[in-house]
Amino acid sequence: MGAVSDSGLNRAFNLLALPGDGIGQEIIDETLKVVAWFSAYLDVPIEIEHDIVGGASIDEHGVPITDAVVQKALCADAILFGAVGGPKWDGLPRAVRPEMGILRLRKELDLFANLRPAVNFPEIVAASSLRPELVDSIDIMIVRESTSGVYFGEPRGIETNAKGMRRAVDTQAYDEAEIARVCRAAFAIARRRGGRLCSVDKANVMETGVLWRTIATEVAQENADVELSHMYADNCAMQLLREPKQF
């Protein structure tokens, strides 16, 4: 990041801060202190713009995110997003719940690779519900596809069928390009983290899982220096508790 001669950029770095609700506001307040330190230390000018999203936006504008905020996000170099939601808004229809704000941002900005690091520092080992020897020094990066799948698949909704019973539908859908690009992102990260990647799916019972495993294996041929393995999602959940360091 940057905007001075050392970085090769000739303008300020534009940062959009969206604290959201509850603890999100606390998180962003502390994060901006770190941003300010780096700005001074690296002599990088950073212009910070603040706006609202989630429940705060619902209270003020009636929607979890406005078109104006989405446009600001599209123009920003980076976004700091806190957290959204809370009991106050739990009773709202799904389409206008606070969480729809972050889903719209993911879709509009095409943020397809969601990075979820899991690191346990020595100072907090005792706070884990797992035995210290299981979690001490773990360092896992989970790469999750974030703009397709069941969150965005169509059709979806709740209807009343011919028998007068309510029926809900959510569609899980991926095309091969959506799978391939997140796999390539994961391979690139794995290459810098020890050269091992585990692809997690439900190829035993879901067609999307079959395609996912097929595409992941094909992308692996482009990344022969990274060792690829496959695991079913339910087994992976158990292995993360049983022996997280294997990842």
Side-chain angles (χ1 to χ4, degrees):
M1 85 186 196
V4 292
S5 57
D6 288 345
S7 68
L9 297 179
N10 57 7
R11 60 176 178 80
F13 190 89
N14 178 256
L15 183 64
L16 176 62
L18 300 174
D21 310 311
I23 196 174
Q25 299 173 20
E26 300 175 32
I27 291 170
I28 295 301
D29 285 346
E30 297 306 310
T31 304
L32 288 177
K33 295 177 184 178
V34 179
V35 170
W37 185 91
F38 272 105
S39 178
Y41 180 77
L42 299 175
D43 192 24
V44 174
I46 300 177
E47 295 180 353
I48 302 173
E49 187 168 8
H50 299 259
D51 218 308
I52 58 176
V53 71
S57 180
I58 292 170
D59 289 348
E60 185 162 333
H61 301 295
V63 292
I65 189 168
T66 64
D67 292 343
V69 172
V70 171
Q71 189 57 44
K72 288 180 182 180
L74 289 167
C75 295
D77 292 305
I79 303 164
L80 280 177
F81 192 100
V84 294
K88 178 180 180 180
W89 306 281
D90 283 349
L92 294 176
R94 189 191 65 82
V96 293
R97 284 175 60 90
E99 295 82 0
M100 293 302 105
I102 190 169
L103 290 184
R104 184 177 175 191
L105 279 177
R106 287 179 185 174
K107 198 66 174 179
E108 297 270 4
L109 277 68
D110 200 22
L111 304 176
F112 65 89
N114 189 330
L115 307 185
R116 305 268 181 134
V119 180
N120 203 341
F121 299 100
E123 295 82 1
I124 60 173
V125 167
S128 172
S129 58
L130 299 179
R131 298 198 309 272
E133 63 269 23
L134 291 179
V135 296
D136 180 34
S137 74
I138 65 167
D139 185 0
I140 301 170
M141 177 65 78
I142 297 172
V143 183
R144 171 188 168 194
E145 202 289 324
S146 194
T147 57
S148 303
V150 73
Y151 278 13
F152 296 96
E154 296 289 346
R156 64 184 306 133
I158 301 175
E159 61 184 13
T160 301
N161 64 18
K163 297 180 180 179
M165 298 179 64
R166 284 168 293 180
R167 179 175 180 267
V169 175
D170 290 292
T171 301
Q172 167 88 338
Y174 289 105
D175 64 35
E176 60 180 290
E178 292 166 339
I179 299 170
R181 66 178 184 174
V182 74
C183 286
R184 291 191 178 99
F187 274 106
I189 292 170
R191 182 172 292 110
R192 301 192 298 268
R193 293 177 54 87
R196 293 189 302 122
L197 176 65
C198 180
S199 177
V200 180
D201 58 49
K202 283 296 289 180
N204 55 336
V205 294
M206 297 176 66
E207 298 300 329
T208 48
V210 173
L211 183 61
W212 185 284
R213 185 168 295 210
T214 299
I215 300 302
T217 302
E218 292 174 359
V219 174
Q221 296 174 9
E222 309 167 6
N223 299 271
D225 56 328
V226 175
E227 177 188 344
L228 174 67
S229 61
H230 300 277
M231 188 175 290
Y232 294 140
D234 41 1
N235 182 33
C236 182
M238 181 185 73
Q239 295 300 330
L240 283 168
L241 294 175
R242 175 180 171 272
E243 192 183 348
K245 291 183 185 179
Q246 67 182 284
F247 299 106

Short mmCIF file of all heavy atoms in Angstrom, two decimals, residues 114-147:
data_model
loop_
_atom_site.label_atom_id
_atom_site.label_comp_id
_atom_site.label_asym_id
_atom_site.label_seq_id
_atom_site.Cartn_x
_atom_site.Cartn_y
_atom_site.Cartn_z
N ASN A 114 -12.32 -15.49 0.39
CA ASN A 114 -12.43 -15.05 1.77
C ASN A 114 -11.34 -15.74 2.58
O ASN A 114 -11.34 -16.96 2.71
CB ASN A 114 -13.82 -15.41 2.30
CG ASN A 114 -14.12 -14.81 3.65
OD1 ASN A 114 -13.22 -14.59 4.45
ND2 ASN A 114 -15.38 -14.55 3.91
N LEU A 115 -10.39 -14.97 3.11
CA LEU A 115 -9.26 -15.55 3.84
C LEU A 115 -9.55 -15.53 5.33
O LEU A 115 -9.82 -14.47 5.91
CB LEU A 115 -7.98 -14.76 3.54
CG LEU A 115 -7.64 -14.56 2.06
CD1 LEU A 115 -6.29 -13.87 1.91
CD2 LEU A 115 -7.67 -15.86 1.30
N ARG A 116 -9.48 -16.71 5.94
CA ARG A 116 -9.78 -16.86 7.37
C ARG A 116 -8.58 -17.47 8.09
O ARG A 116 -8.47 -18.69 8.19
CB ARG A 116 -11.01 -17.75 7.56
CG ARG A 116 -12.26 -17.30 6.81
CD ARG A 116 -13.11 -16.40 7.69
NE ARG A 116 -14.33 -15.98 7.02
CZ ARG A 116 -15.53 -15.99 7.57
NH1 ARG A 116 -15.68 -16.45 8.80
NH2 ARG A 116 -16.58 -15.55 6.91
N PRO A 117 -7.66 -16.64 8.58
CA PRO A 117 -6.51 -17.20 9.29
C PRO A 117 -6.89 -17.71 10.68
O PRO A 117 -7.76 -17.14 11.34
CB PRO A 117 -5.55 -16.01 9.39
CG PRO A 117 -6.44 -14.81 9.34
CD PRO A 117 -7.61 -15.18 8.46
N ALA A 118 -6.24 -18.77 11.09
CA ALA A 118 -6.41 -19.30 12.45
C ALA A 118 -5.02 -19.43 13.07
O ALA A 118 -4.25 -20.32 12.70
CB ALA A 118 -7.12 -20.65 12.42
N VAL A 119 -4.71 -18.52 13.96
CA VAL A 119 -3.40 -18.49 14.61
C VAL A 119 -3.61 -18.43 16.12
O VAL A 119 -4.44 -17.66 16.60
CB VAL A 119 -2.58 -17.26 14.16
CG1 VAL A 119 -1.22 -17.24 14.86
CG2 VAL A 119 -2.40 -17.26 12.65
N ASN A 120 -2.87 -19.24 16.85
CA ASN A 120 -2.98 -19.22 18.29
C ASN A 120 -1.66 -18.76 18.89
O ASN A 120 -0.63 -19.43 18.74
CB ASN A 120 -3.34 -20.61 18.85
CG ASN A 120 -3.99 -20.53 20.21
OD1 ASN A 120 -3.88 -19.53 20.91
ND2 ASN A 120 -4.68 -21.58 20.61
N PHE A 121 -1.69 -17.61 19.54
CA PHE A 121 -0.48 -17.07 20.14
C PHE A 121 -0.28 -17.67 21.53
O PHE A 121 -1.24 -18.04 22.20
CB PHE A 121 -0.59 -15.55 20.24
CG PHE A 121 -0.74 -14.88 18.91
CD1 PHE A 121 -1.99 -14.45 18.47
CD2 PHE A 121 0.36 -14.68 18.09
CE1 PHE A 121 -2.13 -13.84 17.24
CE2 PHE A 121 0.22 -14.07 16.85
CZ PHE A 121 -1.02 -13.65 16.43
N PRO A 122 0.98 -17.79 21.97
CA PRO A 122 1.25 -18.41 23.28
C PRO A 122 0.47 -17.79 24.42
O PRO A 122 0.04 -18.49 25.35
CB PRO A 122 2.76 -18.19 23.47
CG PRO A 122 3.31 -18.07 22.07
CD PRO A 122 2.23 -17.40 21.28
N GLU A 123 0.23 -16.49 24.34
CA GLU A 123 -0.45 -15.79 25.43
C GLU A 123 -1.91 -16.20 25.60
O GLU A 123 -2.50 -15.98 26.67
CB GLU A 123 -0.38 -14.27 25.20
CG GLU A 123 1.02 -13.68 25.24
CD GLU A 123 1.77 -13.86 23.92
OE1 GLU A 123 1.19 -14.43 22.96
OE2 GLU A 123 2.94 -13.43 23.86
N ILE A 124 -2.52 -16.79 24.56
CA ILE A 124 -3.94 -17.13 24.65
C ILE A 124 -4.21 -18.62 24.51
O ILE A 124 -5.35 -19.04 24.34
CB ILE A 124 -4.75 -16.36 23.60
CG1 ILE A 124 -4.27 -16.69 22.19
CG2 ILE A 124 -4.71 -14.86 23.86
CD1 ILE A 124 -5.14 -16.09 21.09
N VAL A 125 -3.16 -19.44 24.58
CA VAL A 125 -3.35 -20.89 24.46
C VAL A 125 -4.32 -21.40 25.52
O VAL A 125 -5.18 -22.24 25.24
CB VAL A 125 -1.99 -21.63 24.56
CG1 VAL A 125 -2.21 -23.13 24.77
CG2 VAL A 125 -1.17 -21.40 23.31
N ALA A 126 -4.21 -20.90 26.73
CA ALA A 126 -5.05 -21.38 27.82
C ALA A 126 -6.53 -21.03 27.62
O ALA A 126 -7.40 -21.62 28.26
CB ALA A 126 -4.56 -20.83 29.16
N ALA A 127 -6.83 -20.09 26.73
CA ALA A 127 -8.21 -19.69 26.50
C ALA A 127 -8.95 -20.64 25.56
O ALA A 127 -10.16 -20.58 25.44
CB ALA A 127 -8.25 -18.27 25.93
N SER A 128 -8.21 -21.52 24.90
CA SER A 128 -8.84 -22.44 23.96
C SER A 128 -9.55 -23.57 24.71
O SER A 128 -9.11 -24.03 25.77
CB SER A 128 -7.78 -23.05 23.03
OG SER A 128 -8.35 -24.08 22.23
N SER A 129 -10.66 -24.04 24.14
CA SER A 129 -11.36 -25.19 24.72
C SER A 129 -10.67 -26.51 24.38
O SER A 129 -11.02 -27.55 24.94
CB SER A 129 -12.81 -25.23 24.22
OG SER A 129 -12.84 -25.30 22.81
N LEU A 130 -9.68 -26.47 23.46
CA LEU A 130 -8.90 -27.66 23.14
C LEU A 130 -7.65 -27.71 24.01
O LEU A 130 -7.20 -26.69 24.54
CB LEU A 130 -8.49 -27.65 21.66
CG LEU A 130 -9.64 -27.64 20.65
CD1 LEU A 130 -9.09 -27.60 19.23
CD2 LEU A 130 -10.55 -28.84 20.83
N ARG A 131 -7.08 -28.89 24.13
CA ARG A 131 -5.88 -29.05 24.94
C ARG A 131 -4.74 -28.19 24.38
O ARG A 131 -4.59 -28.07 23.16
CB ARG A 131 -5.44 -30.52 24.98
CG ARG A 131 -6.46 -31.45 25.62
CD ARG A 131 -5.81 -32.78 26.03
NE ARG A 131 -5.04 -33.38 24.94
CZ ARG A 131 -5.55 -34.20 24.01
NH1 ARG A 131 -6.85 -34.48 24.03
NH2 ARG A 131 -4.78 -34.73 23.07
N PRO A 132 -3.93 -27.59 25.26
CA PRO A 132 -2.87 -26.69 24.80
C PRO A 132 -1.96 -27.30 23.75
O PRO A 132 -1.57 -26.63 22.79
CB PRO A 132 -2.11 -26.37 26.09
CG PRO A 132 -3.12 -26.53 27.17
CD PRO A 132 -4.00 -27.66 26.73
N GLU A 133 -1.61 -28.58 23.91
CA GLU A 133 -0.69 -29.20 22.95
C GLU A 133 -1.30 -29.34 21.55
O GLU A 133 -0.58 -29.49 20.56
CB GLU A 133 -0.22 -30.57 23.45
CG GLU A 133 -1.31 -31.62 23.59
CD GLU A 133 -1.94 -31.66 24.97
OE1 GLU A 133 -1.87 -30.63 25.67
OE2 GLU A 133 -2.49 -32.71 25.35
N LEU A 134 -2.63 -29.26 21.46
CA LEU A 134 -3.29 -29.35 20.15
C LEU A 134 -3.26 -28.03 19.41
O LEU A 134 -3.21 -28.00 18.17
CB LEU A 134 -4.73 -29.82 20.30
CG LEU A 134 -4.96 -31.26 20.75
CD1 LEU A 134 -6.46 -31.54 20.86
CD2 LEU A 134 -4.31 -32.24 19.79
N VAL A 135 -3.32 -26.93 20.14
CA VAL A 135 -3.46 -25.63 19.49
C VAL A 135 -2.23 -24.75 19.60
O VAL A 135 -2.15 -23.72 18.91
CB VAL A 135 -4.68 -24.87 20.07
CG1 VAL A 135 -5.96 -25.61 19.77
CG2 VAL A 135 -4.53 -24.66 21.58
N ASP A 136 -1.28 -25.13 20.42
CA ASP A 136 -0.07 -24.32 20.56
C ASP A 136 0.62 -24.19 19.20
O ASP A 136 0.91 -25.19 18.54
CB ASP A 136 0.88 -24.97 21.58
CG ASP A 136 2.14 -24.16 21.76
OD1 ASP A 136 2.06 -22.93 21.67
OD2 ASP A 136 3.20 -24.77 21.98
N SER A 137 0.85 -22.96 18.77
CA SER A 137 1.59 -22.63 17.55
C SER A 137 0.88 -23.02 16.25
O SER A 137 1.52 -23.09 15.19
CB SER A 137 3.00 -23.23 17.57
OG SER A 137 2.97 -24.63 17.35
N ILE A 138 -0.42 -23.28 16.27
CA ILE A 138 -1.09 -23.57 15.00
C ILE A 138 -1.11 -22.32 14.12
O ILE A 138 -1.14 -21.19 14.61
CB ILE A 138 -2.53 -24.10 15.19
CG1 ILE A 138 -3.44 -23.03 15.81
CG2 ILE A 138 -2.57 -25.38 15.97
CD1 ILE A 138 -4.91 -23.39 15.73
N ASP A 139 -1.08 -22.52 12.82
CA ASP A 139 -1.08 -21.42 11.86
C ASP A 139 -1.75 -21.95 10.59
O ASP A 139 -1.09 -22.51 9.71
CB ASP A 139 0.34 -20.96 11.59
CG ASP A 139 0.38 -19.72 10.69
OD1 ASP A 139 -0.70 -19.25 10.29
OD2 ASP A 139 1.49 -19.25 10.38
N ILE A 140 -3.05 -21.76 10.49
CA ILE A 140 -3.84 -22.30 9.39
C ILE A 140 -4.48 -21.14 8.62
O ILE A 140 -4.95 -20.18 9.23
CB ILE A 140 -4.96 -23.23 9.91
CG1 ILE A 140 -4.36 -24.40 10.70
CG2 ILE A 140 -5.81 -23.78 8.76
CD1 ILE A 140 -5.41 -25.21 11.45
N MET A 141 -4.49 -21.24 7.31
CA MET A 141 -5.22 -20.28 6.50
C MET A 141 -6.34 -21.02 5.77
O MET A 141 -6.08 -21.93 4.98
CB MET A 141 -4.31 -19.60 5.48
CG MET A 141 -5.05 -18.63 4.55
SD MET A 141 -5.75 -17.20 5.42
CE MET A 141 -4.28 -16.20 5.64
N ILE A 142 -7.57 -20.62 6.04
CA ILE A 142 -8.73 -21.19 5.36
C ILE A 142 -9.13 -20.23 4.24
O ILE A 142 -9.32 -19.04 4.48
CB ILE A 142 -9.90 -21.41 6.33
CG1 ILE A 142 -9.50 -22.43 7.41
CG2 ILE A 142 -11.14 -21.90 5.58
CD1 ILE A 142 -10.51 -22.57 8.53
N VAL A 143 -9.24 -20.75 3.03
CA VAL A 143 -9.65 -19.95 1.88
C VAL A 143 -11.04 -20.40 1.48
O VAL A 143 -11.24 -21.55 1.07
CB VAL A 143 -8.68 -20.12 0.70
CG1 VAL A 143 -9.09 -19.22 -0.47
CG2 VAL A 143 -7.25 -19.81 1.14
N ARG A 144 -12.00 -19.52 1.59
CA ARG A 144 -13.40 -19.87 1.36
C ARG A 144 -13.94 -19.10 0.16
O ARG A 144 -13.76 -17.89 0.06
CB ARG A 144 -14.21 -19.52 2.62
CG ARG A 144 -15.72 -19.62 2.45
CD ARG A 144 -16.40 -19.06 3.69
NE ARG A 144 -17.82 -18.87 3.48
CZ ARG A 144 -18.61 -18.15 4.27
NH1 ARG A 144 -18.09 -17.55 5.33
NH2 ARG A 144 -19.89 -18.03 4.01
N GLU A 145 -14.61 -19.80 -0.73
CA GLU A 145 -15.25 -19.13 -1.87
C GLU A 145 -16.39 -18.28 -1.33
O GLU A 145 -17.17 -18.72 -0.49
CB GLU A 145 -15.79 -20.17 -2.85
CG GLU A 145 -15.98 -19.64 -4.27
CD GLU A 145 -17.14 -18.69 -4.41
OE1 GLU A 145 -18.18 -18.90 -3.73
OE2 GLU A 145 -17.03 -17.72 -5.19
N SER A 146 -16.53 -17.05 -1.85
CA SER A 146 -17.36 -16.09 -1.14
C SER A 146 -18.40 -15.36 -1.97
O SER A 146 -19.13 -14.54 -1.44
CB SER A 146 -16.44 -15.04 -0.47
OG SER A 146 -17.11 -14.29 0.48
N THR A 147 -18.49 -15.63 -3.29
CA THR A 147 -19.46 -14.90 -4.10
C THR A 147 -20.38 -15.81 -4.90
O THR A 147 -21.17 -15.33 -5.71
CB THR A 147 -18.75 -13.94 -5.08
OG1 THR A 147 -17.85 -14.68 -5.90
CG2 THR A 147 -17.99 -12.86 -4.34
#
